[in-house]
Amino acid sequence: MTAVKATPDPATVIRSGPLSWVQQWHWFERTIPAPRRVNPTPLADHCHVPPPATVSDVHMALASLTARHEALRSTIGPLRPVQRVHRPDWAPLPIDHVDVPAVDAGTLEAATAALAARPIDPERNPPWLARVLLEAGKPRAVLIAAHHVMIDGWGLAVLLDQLHDRLRGADGPAETALHPLDAIAEQNLERARLSECEWLARLADNPTGVLAPFGGIADGKGRHRLQYRSVEAYDDLDRVARRHRASPEIVVLAALAHEVATRTGEHRFLASVVVSNRARAALRTSVDVRALTVPVQIDLQPGAAFGEVVASVATASTAGYRHGRYRPAELVAAWSRQDRRRGVVAIPTIEFNCYAWPRGYLVPTRTTPPGGDATWISSAPDEPCETLYVDFSRDAGFITLDVTVGDHLLDAAQAVALPERLCGLLHALAGGAECPVLSDPRTPAASGWWRAPQGWACLTTVEDVLQSHPGVLDVTVTPSGGTSGEGDRPHLVARARVTPGVTIDELHQHVLDHLGDVPGLLTPGRYILSPAEHGTATGGSSVPPMSSRLAVTTSERALAAAVAAVVPDDSRQPSYDNPGSVDMNRCLADHGVTLVEIPRLLMLLRQSGYTGIAADELAGTVSLGHLAAALEPFPPRAHHGGETSS
């Protein structure tokens, strides 16, 4: 790979400014440890090199695109969400060349994956890498990997399309390219707040944990990734889309909703759908980051034919698309606060993404067996995934479904069967079947699961979390509610035998601190405590308001000082000027701190000599006190002689 500058030269910067709201999310995402990320970083794809283009032509085309798109020549700040645009010649083009025996499907996939695995440092270097594959000395394909903070999936497709056009001698787009800094002026605060309110309302109004009782493995903490390709489903999908006068993307989302309803018996749940936010013509030729997820309300009627499902999903998608411009940092913070108030982590049942652009730039090669299907799967037992992610694309006579799912939702066999079932449904529909929505689940919920108003909760999981508190000797958790003296809203009742001094407030805080880590967890609505020795049980009809607690230990004081230092001015209260006033029983979002401040907070902790917590843990529902308990001092440095020093 061509060497690039170790640090950007300030003299090469031609303009600078803040990151857009969308960029801020990806700027934060890069600080999350790789095993804990679900979205691939960086993005990578390829295009073929049309004859008679040469290696020199590839370099000239990429140089031209770098001049056109500021996103390709921008760097970002390490601790604050800022971007700096450099001159087109500020650094050598990050291109290398690799000789391969043949540019076939296997070579392309392996080479693209290898390039995607290379680190990209957008703080110091161009936010992209390119690799030219040479066959017998001639360029056959160009691979590009790009950091998500500057380019999204749609943007990468635009970039490759424009690269391919230049290599075949076509004129570039007539429209002037819009750039990441141009997006700042377009951000509408009032519209963003309305979209954030819509998201929060949908999250509170839909069940969480929909898939977990009907599949997966007990105590699953990992995930499966698989890709399924089908030639036959390509024509089936076309026929179904024409029959119902809907786009192929809407039909696939409707099929996915139909499958979830069939598996679980739930007919109303939330889908998170990625939209490109590129409705204007000028945006369709720009490569910068604009895509966000929108809330799509799935609301199916038992017995409805598939055509009604398609119509319902299409209407809901149109409504959801209005809410694609918001502040992810503010939404994540408000989401965490809402989850703590409700005592459950709200997760959309599915996240759906589709690559709807024409990809004529791909290397012309068949990537599935003739008329057949192909599947690969990989599993990581210690990489979490909270929901079911499905990416759909349609290219060159076949469809591709990429699935990522937590193993507590689907086990490996169920994950492999999911795209097969979706394509089987499309085949039946293409043959004229109506495939009505079933009223009841295909199989009953697993033992121990209870359908609460907030969603599905696992009673044994709630018991295990309470039992993990050192002051709990034994505990049982049962559903209650709807009876005299219990209130009208169903809830969980925890009956625990405890050591002296253990309070309801303490136990409730303990459960709250595990919400984001333990699937199937719901806070009890009532606690009944019995002392270890014979005595009178205590308890109330509801959980009392959470008490405050100040920092006590050294690690708590270090975290409190870091929190006080990063609280934004518009959220700052007089008490935050004093680290001793930071409430350790609240989460970071309760103090007005969003994910934008987390990189600086982690830096302050390192300066205080502490590590041990991940960026995404800080952005969640966990209290500061629980986070402080997980902090670890930096290990002492070792001298060459093997002895250590503090």
Side-chain angles (χ1 to χ4, degrees):
M1 186 68 65
T2 304
V4 292
K5 296 184 179 181
T7 57
D9 183 352
T12 67
V13 176
I14 58 176
R15 65 173 182 152
S16 61
L19 294 174
S20 69
W21 293 333
V22 183
Q23 286 179 297
Q24 287 176 6
W25 164 250
H26 297 294
W27 177 80
F28 163 76
E29 188 180 35
R30 85 195 202 288
T31 67
I32 301 173
R36 298 176 65 90
R37 289 187 224 131
V38 175
N39 294 321
T41 303
L43 306 168
D45 209 337
H46 63 271
C47 77
H48 79 277
V49 178
T54 64
V55 171
S56 177
D57 292 330
V58 173
H59 281 248
M60 290 177 61
L62 287 171
S64 171
L65 289 169
T66 299
R68 173 178 171 81
H69 297 292
E70 289 184 355
L72 299 181
R73 47 189 168 93
S74 295
T75 55
I76 60 173
L79 299 177
R80 298 187 184 276
V82 296
Q83 55 191 318
R84 302 175 182 88
V85 182
H86 299 265
R87 298 193 310 256
D89 61 349
W90 80 283
L93 295 176
I95 309 172
D96 67 4
H97 316 93
V98 174
D99 290 298
V100 295
V103 179
D104 54 21
T107 299
L108 280 169
E109 290 188 3
T112 303
L115 187 64
R118 291 182 63 95
I120 295 177
D121 182 0
E123 296 174 17
R124 298 175 178 83
N125 302 323
W128 58 282
L129 301 171
R131 174 164 291 166
V132 183
L133 298 186
L134 304 174
E135 181 182 313
K138 296 183 178 180
R140 296 301 186 197
V142 180
L143 319 176
I144 293 183
H147 200 286
H148 216 325
V149 75
M150 283 295 170
I151 300 173
D152 61 20
W154 276 268
L156 182 57
V158 169
L159 178 62
L160 287 166
D161 196 36
Q162 293 178 6
L163 172 61
H164 187 256
D165 284 346
R166 279 166 168 74
L167 292 177
R168 63 186 182 87
D171 293 332
E175 300 87 358
T176 301
L178 296 179
H179 307 296
L181 282 173
D182 299 331
I184 307 301
E186 300 174 359
Q187 296 178 149
N188 185 311
L189 184 58
E190 185 59 32
R191 179 178 179 181
R193 286 172 174 160
L194 290 174
S195 295
E196 291 153 22
C197 288
E198 176 70 12
W199 255 114
L200 294 171
R202 293 296 178 189
L203 288 165
D205 194 40
N206 279 274
T208 192
V210 167
L211 288 167
F214 303 93
I217 59 176
D219 301 323
K221 296 180 180 178
R223 66 182 172 204
H224 307 294
R225 290 186 187 274
L226 67 96
Q227 185 176 91
Y228 179 86
R229 295 173 178 173
S230 174
V231 173
E232 183 181 36
Y234 184 92
D235 292 330
D236 289 338
L237 178 58
D238 260 357
R239 286 193 289 271
V240 177
R242 287 196 302 269
R243 176 183 174 187
H244 297 295
R245 298 180 180 179
S247 70
E249 295 76 27
I250 288 294
V251 170
V252 173
L253 178 57
L256 187 57
H258 186 284
E259 168 63 18
V260 170
T262 300
R263 174 180 289 275
T264 67
E266 293 280 356
H267 300 100
R268 191 174 191 277
F269 49 89
L270 189 62
S272 172
V273 178
V274 182
V275 295
S276 69
N277 283 327
R278 285 173 164 82
R280 289 162 45 202
L283 297 177
R284 297 187 195 121
T285 60
S286 297
V287 305
D288 55 306
V289 178
R290 292 181 179 267
L292 273 178
T293 58
V294 297
V296 173
Q297 180 65 62
I298 304 298
D299 201 347
L300 310 181
Q301 296 299 317
F306 189 76
E308 297 174 65
V309 175
V310 171
S312 173
V313 169
T315 300
S317 296
T318 300
Y321 292 166
R322 295 197 298 267
H323 302 289
R325 298 180 186 273
Y326 51 87
R327 302 166 297 170
E330 298 295 335
L331 176 59
V332 169
W335 191 339
S336 295
R337 292 191 294 267
Q338 177 171 280
D339 284 350
R340 280 181 65 88
R341 288 195 304 270
R342 298 178 66 236
V344 67
V345 171
I347 300 292
T349 300
I350 52 180
E351 181 163 318
F352 181 67
N353 189 14
C354 58
Y355 302 107
W357 55 79
R359 303 201 292 179
Y361 52 76
L362 292 176
V363 174
T365 180
R366 178 172 290 277
T367 54
T368 61
D373 303 328
T375 303
W376 63 257
I377 183 170
S378 65
S379 300
D382 56 351
E383 297 183 5
C385 179
E386 299 169 330
T387 190
L388 168 63
Y389 294 83
V390 177
D391 291 348
F392 161 68
S393 60
R394 193 163 164 263
D395 289 301
F398 63 92
I399 71 166
T400 302
L401 293 169
D402 291 287
V403 177
T404 304
V405 62
D407 61 4
H408 66 291
L409 303 177
L410 299 176
D411 62 27
Q414 292 164 342
V416 169
L418 175 67
E420 295 174 352
R421 289 183 56 82
L422 291 175
C423 291
L425 174 63
L426 292 175
H427 187 66
L429 292 165
E434 293 294 333
C435 300
V437 177
L438 300 181
S439 299
D440 300 314
R442 190 165 58 232
T443 57
S447 175
W449 286 88
W450 175 63
R451 178 58 161 87
Q454 303 96 321
W456 285 90
C458 183
L459 304 184
T460 55
T461 294
V462 182
E463 289 176 345
D464 289 344
V465 168
L466 284 167
Q467 190 73 62
S468 69
H469 187 283
V472 173
L473 302 177
D474 56 67
V475 62
T476 58
V477 174
T478 56
S480 191
T483 60
S484 176
E486 296 285 1
D488 294 328
R489 184 177 173 85
H491 57 271
L492 292 180
V493 178
R495 294 173 172 84
R497 192 164 63 92
V498 298
T499 57
V502 174
T503 65
I504 292 174
D505 183 63
E506 184 181 346
L507 289 186
H508 190 66
Q509 180 71 60
H510 180 73
V511 179
L512 284 176
D513 281 337
H514 288 81
L515 282 182
D517 296 331
V518 183
L521 187 59
L522 171 69
T523 56
R526 186 183 182 202
Y527 296 81
I528 300 174
L529 307 187
S530 301
E533 303 299 331
H534 295 293
T536 304
T538 61
S541 59
S542 61
V543 178
M546 187 67 63
S547 61
S548 299
R549 186 175 72 81
L550 303 183
V552 176
T553 66
T554 303
S555 61
E556 286 182 344
R557 287 195 291 269
L559 180 55
V563 170
V566 302
V567 172
D569 290 339
D570 56 0
S571 298
R572 185 171 294 279
Q573 301 175 14
S575 62
Y576 289 159
D577 292 329
N578 176 11
S581 299
V582 172
D583 188 352
M584 303 306 289
N585 275 349
R586 305 289 173 177
C587 71
L588 194 64
D590 286 330
H591 293 79
V593 179
T594 72
L595 53 83
V596 170
E597 287 82 30
I598 287 177
R600 193 156 58 96
L601 190 154
L602 288 171
M603 180 270 294
L604 292 172
L605 283 175
R606 287 194 295 271
Q607 289 180 348
S608 298
Y610 285 100
T611 185
I613 53 178
D616 56 324
E617 293 176 303
L618 281 164
T621 57
V622 183
S623 71
L624 297 179
H626 192 76
L627 288 169
L631 286 173
E632 302 170 354
F634 276 120
R637 291 174 295 177
H639 293 298
H640 291 297
E643 297 179 359
T644 61
S645 64
S646 57

